[in-house]
Amino acid sequence: MPWFPVTTALSSVVALLAVGNLATNWLDVYLVFFGEQPEIDPANIAAYRLWGAIALAALLCGAIAHMLNPDRRMLGTFWQGLVITVGTAMVLLCYIPGAVDLPAPEGEEDGGYRAPPCYSGGDNDECVGG
């Protein structure tokens, strides 16, 4: 199949472009000067989600096309391994907080009123409830 090498090369290029855009987005958020706090815009979160999905899809497509290619070479296998490793690492390292919706940890639900402990030294006038 002549389209296996083309698909592998094209997906590598797309993955590298997506990783570059992820790095640029990360720098847009975290490159601040003189102790300023980074501000995360919703556009940065949307850009991370978009380029992260494109990068992961391109990495997966390139790996599958390379593995299905019966004429694959050792250099191509090394290149795909390098692209997959670097691409996955960059998707994880360029994470923007808030980009992935994680469930909130469940807190204790306190259904009743709890009085603070009373240490009045024997006088019940200072304790709640007498």
Side-chain angles (χ1 to χ4, degrees):
M1 293 282 196
W3 57 272
F4 282 134
V6 173
T7 304
T8 304
L10 186 61
S11 65
S12 294
V13 169
V14 170
L16 292 176
L17 286 174
V19 164
N21 282 321
L22 282 172
T24 304
N25 186 45
W26 186 84
L27 287 174
D28 184 39
V29 172
Y30 288 106
L31 185 65
V32 294
F33 295 103
F34 304 111
E36 295 178 17
Q37 292 293 324
E39 294 183 21
I40 300 171
D41 293 331
N44 294 115
I45 293 173
Y48 175 82
R49 289 177 179 168
L50 175 70
W51 289 111
I54 290 172
L56 292 177
L59 291 171
L60 183 65
C61 180
I64 290 172
H66 181 72
M67 295 308 289
L68 292 176
N69 186 1
D71 297 329
R72 61 181 175 260
R73 306 273 194 268
M74 182 58 84
L75 184 61
T77 303
F78 177 75
W79 173 252
Q80 276 305 117
L82 183 67
V83 168
I84 289 170
T85 303
V86 170
T88 305
M90 288 300 289
V91 168
L92 294 175
L93 290 174
C94 293
Y95 173 72
I96 304 294
V100 178
D101 296 326
L102 298 175
E106 294 183 18
E108 289 185 20
E109 290 292 325
D110 191 13
Y113 173 75
R114 296 177 70 187
C118 182
Y119 304 106
S120 67
D123 187 11
N124 288 336
D125 293 336
E126 295 176 14
C127 292
V128 177

